[in-house]
Amino acid sequence: MTQELRIPSTTTEIHASDSERQALATRYQQVRQSTEALAAPLAVEDYVIQSMPDCSPTKWHLAHVSWFFETFLLKPSSADYRSLDPQYAYLFNSYYNAAGDKYPRPQRGLISRPTVGEVYQYRRHVDEHVLDLLECAAAEDLADLAPIVTLGLNHEQQHQELIVTDLKHMLSHNPLHPVYVTRHPNSAAHVAPTSWSEFAEGVYWIGHEGSGFAFDNEQARHREFIQSFRLASQLVTNGEYMAFIQQGGYQRPEFWLSLGWATVQQLGWQAPLYWEEDDGAWWQYTLSGLRLVDPAEPVTHISYFEADAYARWAGARLPTEAEWEVAAATVPIDGNFVESGRFHPQPLNGTASSVGLAQMFGDVWEWTQSAYSPYPGFRIAPGALGEYNGKFMCNQYVLRGGSCATPRSHIRPTYRNFFPPEARWQFSGVRLARDS
Ligand SMILES: [Fe+2]
């Protein structure tokens, strides 16, 4: 691909190309601005702290997503492109071995330079060049550039969610319980009892197909035989999870996978991440400060091990990702996403469960019992971008449905998120399934 100007040969070509390039440029600006809006409530000190190796400072996220456009779009498009600093290629590469050396991930919080202001300058520099490229690229080059821009924007949306979850982890260490966003307490919600939706056995199509964007790990679309099953109408609530705790859930090994039980022992888990007990009451740190645990809200910040142990205690099991996808195809993509500005799961309306499956999208990512592995027909793409998903298909479990930190436009029924079984800092929760 090049940046050379080419004179369009027909009127049709002018219109098609103009509307496509305009739509892409607008989308680019929207996503980039959304990222910066998430950082707007921060003080400069908040940008730089790294609270654990899995979490990155906001400043690093802001720079890394720009590095992605620089590395995979701008540099290959123009030999004349110059980064603001050649060292940024080393500092802000995350895990792409084919893109060169990487600064060690656990030490991202030790980097005070570039400053926050300089990182914003870096973003402006990249924005200017990306928008120039989209404006000036020849129509036939745009066809090659558009998929990379779209991947870069979906990548940036993933980091938007990580900015929120990493910030929460960092702020949770502060005994002042900082408020990132104010949020009114829930009105005393009544959650209807869980009901169960039945799904018949059969051969179902799983995975993405069509013209819309999807990551490589959602492909190839393929058929799977699924036994008949039942899926819970709603997410497990804090109130239900508290009953598990009160009945010795964290002290009884019979509910736990061996590796999960060892993790409970080793890390001293007694409750979900961010929960603390004070004088017989459970409190939790939220992005709106320390709050009493609301029994009506979906439980969140639990690991795969805890979701699985809870399910066993409740006489149920986790759904497979194929079961979840079959069920999700029956409901609209609607829910509590990052756009709500709550940054926290919300209680289900008391009447919602009577109309079938609720909370399938948004609120919390739902752990499935499915190991994150390739679909039949999955191929790792050649080049550095082939490192995006495929090389992580080991020792992780699939989560579905998005969360209160996920952008609405980022989620779809075939979307496969994945984390190791001990991870708790994402907005992760549980919906039960049963054999029928
Ligand atoms: Fe990334």
Coordinates of all heavy atoms in Angstrom, one line a residue, residues 112-178:
S112 N 8.4 6.9 34.2 CA 7.8 8.2 34.4 C 7.9 9.1 33.1 O 7.3 10.1 33.0 CB 8.5 8.9 35.5 OG 9.9 9.1 35.3
R113 N 8.8 8.7 32.2 CA 9.0 9.4 30.9 C 8.8 8.4 29.8 O 9.3 7.4 29.8 CB 10.4 10.1 30.8 CG 10.8 10.9 32.0 CD 9.8 12.1 32.1 NE 10.1 12.9 33.4 CZ 10.9 13.9 33.4 NH1 11.5 14.3 32.3 NH2 11.1 14.5 34.6
P114 N 8.1 8.8 28.7 CA 7.5 10.1 28.4 C 6.4 10.4 29.5 O 5.8 9.5 30.1 CB 6.8 9.9 27.1 CG 6.6 8.4 26.9 CD 7.7 7.8 27.7
T115 N 6.3 11.7 29.7 CA 5.3 12.1 30.7 C 3.9 11.9 30.1 O 3.7 11.6 28.9 CB 5.4 13.7 30.9 OG1 5.2 14.3 29.7 CG2 6.8 14.0 31.4
V116 N 2.9 12.1 30.9 CA 1.5 12.0 30.5 C 1.2 13.0 29.3 O 0.6 12.6 28.3 CB 0.5 12.3 31.7 CG1 -0.9 12.4 31.2 CG2 0.6 11.2 32.7
G117 N 1.7 14.2 29.5 CA 1.5 15.2 28.4 C 2.2 14.8 27.1 O 1.6 15.0 26.0
E118 N 3.4 14.2 27.2 CA 4.1 13.7 26.0 C 3.3 12.5 25.4 O 3.3 12.4 24.1 CB 5.5 13.3 26.4 CG 6.4 14.5 26.6 CD 7.7 14.2 27.3 OE1 7.8 13.2 27.9 OE2 8.6 15.1 27.2
V119 N 2.7 11.7 26.2 CA 1.9 10.6 25.6 C 0.7 11.1 24.9 O 0.3 10.7 23.8 CB 1.5 9.6 26.7 CG1 0.4 8.7 26.2 CG2 2.7 8.7 27.1
Y120 N 0.1 12.2 25.4 CA -1.0 12.8 24.6 C -0.5 13.4 23.3 O -1.2 13.4 22.3 CB -1.8 13.8 25.5 CG -2.8 13.2 26.4 CD1 -2.7 13.1 27.8 CD2 -4.0 12.6 25.8 CE1 -3.6 12.5 28.6 CE2 -5.0 12.0 26.6 CZ -4.8 11.9 28.0 OH -5.7 11.3 28.7
Q121 N 0.7 14.0 23.4 CA 1.3 14.5 22.1 C 1.5 13.4 21.1 O 1.3 13.5 19.9 CB 2.6 15.2 22.4 CG 2.5 16.6 23.0 CD 3.8 17.1 23.5 OE1 4.9 16.7 23.0 NE2 3.8 18.1 24.3
Y122 N 1.9 12.3 21.6 CA 2.1 11.1 20.8 C 0.8 10.7 20.1 O 0.7 10.4 18.9 CB 2.7 10.0 21.7 CG 3.0 8.6 21.0 CD1 3.6 8.6 19.7 CD2 2.7 7.4 21.6 CE1 3.8 7.3 19.1 CE2 2.9 6.2 21.1 CZ 3.5 6.2 19.8 OH 3.8 4.9 19.2
R123 N -0.2 10.7 20.9 CA -1.6 10.3 20.4 C -1.9 11.3 19.3 O -2.4 10.9 18.2 CB -2.6 10.3 21.5 CG -2.5 9.2 22.4 CD -3.6 9.2 23.5 NE -5.0 9.0 22.9 CZ -5.5 7.8 22.7 NH1 -4.9 6.7 22.9 NH2 -6.8 7.7 22.2
R124 N -1.7 12.6 19.5 CA -2.1 13.6 18.5 C -1.3 13.4 17.2 O -1.8 13.5 16.1 CB -1.8 15.0 19.0 CG -2.6 15.5 20.2 CD -4.1 15.8 19.8 NE -4.8 14.6 19.9 CZ -5.3 14.0 21.0 NH1 -5.1 14.5 22.1 NH2 -6.0 12.9 20.9
H125 N 0.0 13.1 17.4 CA 0.9 12.8 16.2 C 0.4 11.6 15.4 O 0.3 11.7 14.2 CB 2.3 12.5 16.8 CG 3.3 12.2 15.7 ND1 4.0 13.1 15.0 CD2 3.8 11.0 15.3 CE1 4.8 12.5 14.1 NE2 4.7 11.2 14.3
V126 N 0.0 10.6 16.1 CA -0.5 9.4 15.4 C -1.9 9.7 14.7 O -2.1 9.4 13.6 CB -0.6 8.2 16.4 CG1 -1.4 7.0 15.7 CG2 0.8 7.7 16.8
D127 N -2.7 10.4 15.5 CA -4.0 10.8 14.9 C -3.9 11.5 13.6 O -4.6 11.3 12.6 CB -4.8 11.6 15.9 CG -5.3 10.8 17.1 OD1 -5.3 9.6 17.0 OD2 -5.8 11.4 18.1
E128 N -3.0 12.5 13.7 CA -2.8 13.4 12.5 C -2.4 12.5 11.2 O -3.0 12.7 10.2 CB -1.6 14.3 12.8 CG -1.9 15.8 12.5 CD -0.7 16.6 13.0 OE1 0.3 16.6 12.4 OE2 -0.9 17.2 14.1
H129 N -1.5 11.6 11.5 CA -1.0 10.8 10.3 C -2.0 9.8 9.9 O -2.1 9.5 8.7 CB 0.4 10.2 10.7 CG 1.5 11.2 10.7 ND1 1.8 12.0 11.7 CD2 2.4 11.5 9.7 CE1 2.8 12.8 11.4 NE2 3.2 12.5 10.2
V130 N -2.8 9.2 10.8 CA -3.8 8.2 10.4 C -4.9 9.0 9.6 O -5.3 8.5 8.5 CB -4.4 7.5 11.6 CG1 -5.6 6.7 11.2 CG2 -3.4 6.6 12.3
L131 N -5.3 10.1 10.1 CA -6.4 10.8 9.4 C -5.9 11.3 8.0 O -6.6 11.3 7.0 CB -6.9 12.0 10.3 CG -7.7 11.5 11.5 CD1 -8.0 12.6 12.4 CD2 -9.0 10.7 11.1
D132 N -4.6 11.8 8.0 CA -4.0 12.1 6.6 C -4.1 11.0 5.7 O -4.4 11.1 4.5 CB -2.6 12.6 6.8 CG -2.5 14.1 7.2 OD1 -3.6 14.7 7.2 OD2 -1.4 14.5 7.4
L133 N -3.6 9.8 6.2 CA -3.6 8.6 5.4 C -5.0 8.2 4.9 O -5.1 7.9 3.7 CB -3.0 7.5 6.2 CG -2.8 6.1 5.5 CD1 -1.8 6.2 4.4 CD2 -2.3 5.1 6.5
L134 N -6.0 8.3 5.7 CA -7.3 8.0 5.3 C -7.9 9.0 4.3 O -8.6 8.6 3.4 CB -8.3 7.9 6.5 CG -8.0 6.7 7.5 CD1 -9.0 6.7 8.6 CD2 -8.0 5.4 6.8
E135 N -7.4 10.2 4.4 CA -7.9 11.2 3.5 C -7.2 11.1 2.1 O -7.9 11.3 1.1 CB -7.6 12.6 4.1 CG -8.4 13.7 3.4 CD -8.0 15.1 3.9 OE1 -7.8 15.2 5.2 OE2 -8.0 16.1 3.2
C136 N -6.0 10.8 2.1 CA -5.2 10.8 0.9 C -5.0 9.5 0.2 O -4.6 9.5 -1.0 CB -3.8 11.4 1.2 SG -3.9 13.1 1.9
A137 N -5.3 8.4 0.9 CA -5.0 7.1 0.2 C -5.8 6.9 -1.0 O -7.0 7.3 -1.1 CB -5.3 6.0 1.2
A138 N -5.2 6.3 -2.0 CA -5.9 5.9 -3.2 C -7.0 4.9 -2.9 O -6.9 4.2 -1.9 CB -5.0 5.4 -4.2
A139 N -8.1 4.9 -3.7 CA -9.2 4.1 -3.4 C -8.8 2.6 -3.3 O -9.3 1.9 -2.4 CB -10.3 4.3 -4.5
E140 N -8.0 2.2 -4.1 CA -7.6 0.7 -4.1 C -6.8 0.4 -2.8 O -6.8 -0.7 -2.3 CB -7.0 0.2 -5.4 CG -5.5 0.6 -5.5 CD -5.4 1.9 -6.4 OE1 -6.4 2.7 -6.4 OE2 -4.3 2.1 -6.9
D141 N -6.0 1.4 -2.4 CA -5.2 1.2 -1.2 C -6.1 1.2 0.1 O -5.8 0.5 1.1 CB -4.2 2.3 -1.0 CG -3.1 2.2 -2.1 OD1 -2.9 1.1 -2.6 OD2 -2.5 3.2 -2.4
L142 N -7.2 2.0 0.0 CA -8.1 2.1 1.2 C -8.7 0.7 1.5 O -8.9 0.3 2.7 CB -9.2 3.0 0.8 CG -9.9 3.7 2.0 CD1 -9.0 4.5 2.9 CD2 -11.1 4.5 1.5
A143 N -8.9 -0.1 0.5 CA -9.4 -1.5 0.7 C -8.4 -2.3 1.5 O -8.8 -3.2 2.3 CB -9.7 -2.1 -0.7
D144 N -7.1 -2.0 1.4 CA -6.1 -2.8 2.2 C -6.0 -2.1 3.6 O -5.7 -2.8 4.6 CB -4.7 -2.7 1.5 CG -4.7 -3.5 0.2 OD1 -5.5 -4.5 0.1 OD2 -4.0 -3.1 -0.7
L145 N -6.1 -0.8 3.6 CA -5.9 -0.1 4.9 C -7.1 -0.3 5.9 O -6.9 -0.4 7.1 CB -5.8 1.4 4.7 CG -4.6 1.8 3.8 CD1 -4.7 3.3 3.5 CD2 -3.3 1.5 4.5
A146 N -8.3 -0.4 5.3 CA -9.5 -0.4 6.2 C -9.5 -1.5 7.2 O -9.8 -1.3 8.4 CB -10.8 -0.4 5.3
P147 N -9.2 -2.8 6.8 CA -9.2 -3.8 7.8 C -8.2 -3.6 8.9 O -8.5 -4.0 10.1 CB -8.8 -5.1 7.0 CG -9.1 -4.7 5.6 CD -8.9 -3.3 5.4
I148 N -7.1 -3.0 8.6 CA -6.1 -2.7 9.7 C -6.6 -1.6 10.6 O -6.4 -1.7 11.8 CB -4.7 -2.3 9.1 CG1 -4.2 -3.5 8.1 CG2 -3.7 -2.1 10.1 CD1 -3.0 -3.1 7.3
V149 N -7.2 -0.6 10.0 CA -7.8 0.5 10.9 C -8.9 -0.1 11.8 O -8.9 0.1 13.0 CB -8.3 1.6 10.0 CG1 -9.1 2.6 10.9 CG2 -7.3 2.3 9.2
T150 N -9.7 -1.0 11.2 CA -10.8 -1.6 12.0 C -10.3 -2.5 13.1 O -10.8 -2.4 14.2 CB -11.7 -2.4 11.0 OG1 -12.2 -1.5 10.0 CG2 -12.9 -3.0 11.7
L151 N -9.2 -3.2 12.8 CA -8.6 -4.1 13.8 C -8.0 -3.2 14.9 O -8.2 -3.5 16.1 CB -7.5 -5.0 13.2 CG -6.8 -5.9 14.2 CD1 -7.7 -6.9 14.8 CD2 -5.6 -6.6 13.5
G152 N -7.4 -2.1 14.5 CA -6.8 -1.2 15.5 C -7.8 -0.6 16.4 O -7.6 -0.4 17.6
L153 N -9.0 -0.3 15.8 CA -10.1 0.3 16.6 C -10.7 -0.7 17.6 O -11.0 -0.4 18.7 CB -11.1 0.9 15.7 CG -10.6 2.1 14.9 CD1 -11.7 2.6 14.0 CD2 -10.2 3.3 15.8
N154 N -10.8 -1.9 17.1 CA -11.3 -3.0 18.0 C -10.3 -3.3 19.1 O -10.6 -3.6 20.2 CB -11.7 -4.2 17.2 CG -13.1 -4.1 16.6 OD1 -14.1 -4.4 17.3 ND2 -13.1 -3.6 15.4
H155 N -9.0 -3.2 18.7 CA -7.9 -3.4 19.7 C -8.0 -2.3 20.7 O -7.9 -2.5 21.9 CB -6.6 -3.4 19.0 CG -5.4 -3.3 19.8 ND1 -4.7 -2.1 20.0 CD2 -4.8 -4.2 20.7 CE1 -3.7 -2.3 20.8 NE2 -3.7 -3.6 21.3
E156 N -8.2 -1.0 20.3 CA -8.3 0.1 21.2 C -9.5 -0.1 22.1 O -9.4 0.3 23.3 CB -8.4 1.4 20.4 CG -8.4 2.6 21.4 CD -7.5 3.8 20.9 OE1 -6.8 3.7 20.0 OE2 -7.7 4.9 21.5
Q157 N -10.6 -0.6 21.6 CA -11.8 -0.8 22.5 C -11.5 -1.9 23.6 O -12.0 -1.8 24.7 CB -13.0 -1.2 21.7 CG -13.6 -0.1 20.9 CD -14.9 -0.5 20.2 OE1 -14.9 -1.5 19.5 NE2 -15.9 0.3 20.3
Q158 N -10.7 -2.9 23.2 CA -10.3 -3.8 24.2 C -9.5 -3.2 25.3 O -9.6 -3.4 26.5 CB -9.5 -5.0 23.6 CG -10.3 -5.9 22.7 CD -9.4 -7.0 22.1 OE1 -8.4 -6.8 21.5 NE2 -9.9 -8.2 22.3
H159 N -8.6 -2.3 24.9 CA -7.8 -1.5 25.9 C -8.7 -0.5 26.7 O -8.3 -0.2 27.8 CB -6.6 -0.9 25.3 CG -5.5 -1.9 25.0 ND1 -4.6 -2.2 26.0 CD2 -5.2 -2.7 24.0 CE1 -3.7 -3.1 25.6 NE2 -4.1 -3.4 24.3
Q160 N -9.7 0.0 26.1 CA -10.6 0.8 26.9 C -11.1 0.1 28.1 O -11.2 0.6 29.2 CB -11.8 1.3 26.0 CG -11.4 2.3 25.0 CD -12.6 2.6 24.0 OE1 -13.7 2.1 24.1 NE2 -12.3 3.5 23.1
E161 N -11.5 -1.2 27.9 CA -12.0 -2.0 29.0 C -10.9 -2.3 30.0 O -11.1 -2.2 31.2 CB -12.6 -3.3 28.5 CG -13.0 -4.3 29.7 CD -14.3 -5.1 29.4 OE1 -14.7 -5.1 28.2 OE2 -14.7 -5.8 30.3
L162 N -9.7 -2.5 29.5 CA -8.6 -2.7 30.4 C -8.2 -1.5 31.2 O -7.8 -1.6 32.4 CB -7.4 -3.3 29.6 CG -7.5 -4.7 29.0 CD1 -6.4 -5.0 28.1 CD2 -7.7 -5.7 30.1
I163 N -8.4 -0.3 30.6 CA -8.1 0.9 31.3 C -9.0 1.0 32.6 O -8.6 1.3 33.7 CB -8.4 2.2 30.4 CG1 -7.2 2.3 29.4 CG2 -8.5 3.4 31.3 CD1 -7.4 3.4 28.4
V164 N -10.3 0.6 32.4 CA -11.2 0.7 33.5 C -10.9 -0.4 34.6 O -10.8 -0.1 35.8 CB -12.7 0.4 33.0 CG1 -13.7 0.3 34.1 CG2 -13.1 1.5 32.0
T165 N -10.6 -1.6 34.1 CA -10.4 -2.7 35.1 C -9.0 -2.5 35.8 O -8.9 -2.8 37.0 CB -10.5 -4.1 34.5 OG1 -9.6 -4.1 33.4 CG2 -11.9 -4.4 34.0
D166 N -8.0 -2.0 35.1 CA -6.7 -1.8 35.7 C -6.7 -0.6 36.6 O -6.1 -0.7 37.7 CB -5.7 -1.6 34.5 CG -5.5 -2.9 33.7 OD1 -6.2 -3.9 33.9 OD2 -4.6 -2.8 32.8
L167 N -7.5 0.4 36.2 CA -7.6 1.6 37.1 C -8.3 1.1 38.4 O -7.9 1.6 39.5 CB -8.6 2.6 36.5 CG -8.1 3.8 35.8 CD1 -9.3 4.6 35.2 CD2 -7.3 4.6 36.8
K168 N -9.3 0.3 38.3 CA -10.0 -0.1 39.5 C -9.1 -0.9 40.4 O -9.1 -0.6 41.7 CB -11.2 -1.0 39.1 CG -12.1 -1.4 40.3 CD -13.4 -2.1 39.9 CE -14.2 -2.5 41.1 NZ -15.5 -3.1 40.8
H169 N -8.3 -1.7 39.9 CA -7.4 -2.5 40.7 C -6.4 -1.6 41.4 O -6.1 -1.7 42.6 CB -6.6 -3.5 39.8 CG -5.9 -4.6 40.6 ND1 -4.5 -4.4 40.8 CD2 -6.3 -5.7 41.2 CE1 -4.1 -5.5 41.6 NE2 -5.2 -6.2 41.8
M170 N -5.9 -0.6 40.6 CA -4.9 0.3 41.2 C -5.5 1.1 42.3 O -5.0 1.2 43.4 CB -4.4 1.2 40.1 CG -3.3 2.2 40.4 SD -3.9 3.8 41.0 CE -4.6 4.5 39.5
L171 N -6.7 1.7 42.0 CA -7.4 2.6 43.0 C -7.8 1.8 44.3 O -7.9 2.3 45.4 CB -8.6 3.3 42.4 CG -8.3 4.3 41.3 CD1 -9.6 4.8 40.6 CD2 -7.5 5.5 41.9
S172 N -8.1 0.5 44.1 CA -8.5 -0.3 45.2 C -7.5 -0.4 46.3 O -7.8 -0.8 47.5 CB -8.9 -1.7 44.7 OG -7.8 -2.5 44.5
H173 N -6.2 -0.2 46.0 CA -5.2 -0.3 47.0 C -5.1 1.0 47.9 O -4.4 1.0 48.9 CB -3.8 -0.5 46.3 CG -3.7 -1.8 45.7 ND1 -4.2 -2.2 44.5 CD2 -3.0 -2.9 46.2 CE1 -3.9 -3.5 44.3 NE2 -3.2 -3.9 45.3
N174 N -5.9 2.0 47.6 CA -5.8 3.2 48.3 C -6.9 3.2 49.4 O -8.1 3.1 49.2 CB -6.1 4.4 47.3 CG -5.8 5.7 47.9 OD1 -6.0 5.9 49.1 ND2 -5.4 6.7 47.1
P175 N -6.4 3.4 50.7 CA -7.4 3.3 51.8 C -8.4 4.5 51.8 O -9.3 4.5 52.5 CB -6.5 3.4 53.0 CG -5.2 3.8 52.6 CD -5.0 3.5 51.1
L176 N -8.1 5.5 50.9 CA -9.1 6.6 50.8 C -10.3 6.2 49.9 O -11.2 7.0 49.8 CB -8.4 7.8 50.2 CG -7.3 8.4 51.0 CD1 -6.7 9.6 50.3 CD2 -7.7 8.8 52.4
H177 N -10.2 5.0 49.3 CA -11.3 4.5 48.4 C -11.7 5.6 47.4 O -12.8 6.0 47.4 CB -12.5 4.1 49.3 CG -12.2 3.1 50.3 ND1 -11.6 1.9 50.1 CD2 -12.3 3.2 51.7 CE1 -11.4 1.2 51.2 NE2 -11.8 2.0 52.2
P178 N -10.8 6.0 46.5 CA -11.1 7.1 45.6 C -12.3 6.8 44.7 O -12.6 5.6 44.3 CB -9.8 7.1 44.7 CG -8.8 6.4 45.5 CD -9.5 5.4 46.3

